[in-house]
Amino acid sequence: MGRKKKVGSISTFLGYGSSIEGTLEFQGTIRLDGNVRGRITSNGGTVIVGEKAVINADIIVDGAIIMGEVNGTIDAKDRIEVYPPGRVVGDIQAPMISIDTGAVFNGNCGMKGQQTVFEKKSPDSSEKLAITDEPKKK
């Protein structure tokens, strides 16, 4: 079982049976349980796509938690989490991506901007190695 990241309190909510078409911009955390067609953006925000939501939009946010259906690209600065019965059809990109067993993902996945630090296991060395996806400058 995956561990869900703690999310701040929900500041905006689109309930089941509601629909929006166009560009949806928000701050904080938004939960979508209705239908959205267009574009969803936030600088610093998190989108939660509820189990009954159908989203036909490109999403650009800091964090995305998907439990419903998303058709479109997801570009997150922090992380993307997909939980069953979540379904994502489209390309996703974030430094940290988690897709739980039972969730559906069909698209391309990119993990740019992530830097991971590994510690050497040798007891006589305290050296740390940093691995990043960006090429070294010459």
Side-chain angles (χ1 to χ4, degrees):
M1 289 237 164
R3 185 186 323 171
K4 292 185 182 180
K5 180 181 178 186
K6 289 190 177 184
V7 178
S9 63
I10 296 171
S11 58
T12 308
F13 179 77
L14 178 69
Y16 177 73
S18 300
S19 296
I20 291 181
E21 186 168 340
T23 300
L24 175 60
E25 294 181 26
F26 68 94
Q27 297 293 318
T29 300
I30 186 171
R31 179 172 173 118
L32 304 172
D33 284 313
N35 300 321
V36 178
R37 178 179 298 278
R39 182 177 171 94
I40 300 168
T41 64
S42 179
N43 187 10
T46 298
V47 63
I48 301 170
V49 177
E51 291 182 10
K52 296 186 180 196
V54 178
I55 310 299
N56 293 295
D58 293 331
I59 301 172
I60 302 170
V61 292
D62 273 23
I65 299 171
I66 312 298
M67 296 171 284
E69 181 179 336
V70 175
N71 299 297
T73 62
I74 304 173
D75 189 350
K77 292 178 188 171
D78 184 32
R79 68 186 308 132
I80 298 170
E81 302 173 22
V82 185
Y83 299 100
R87 175 182 174 90
V88 176
V89 178
D91 298 344
I92 61 175
Q93 179 172 305
M96 295 179 5
I97 297 172
S98 170
I99 302 174
D100 272 11
T101 302
V104 175
F105 169 64
N106 188 6
N108 294 308
C109 175
M111 296 180 72
K112 293 187 178 181
Q114 181 177 14
Q115 181 171 340
T116 307
V117 177
F118 296 95
E119 292 185 35
K120 282 193 166 188
K121 297 296 180 187
S122 172
D124 59 332
S125 175
S126 62
E127 180 182 354
K128 292 184 180 181
L129 301 174
I131 298 176
T132 180
D133 65 347
E134 297 176 14
K136 290 184 178 180
K137 295 181 181 176
K138 293 183 180 181

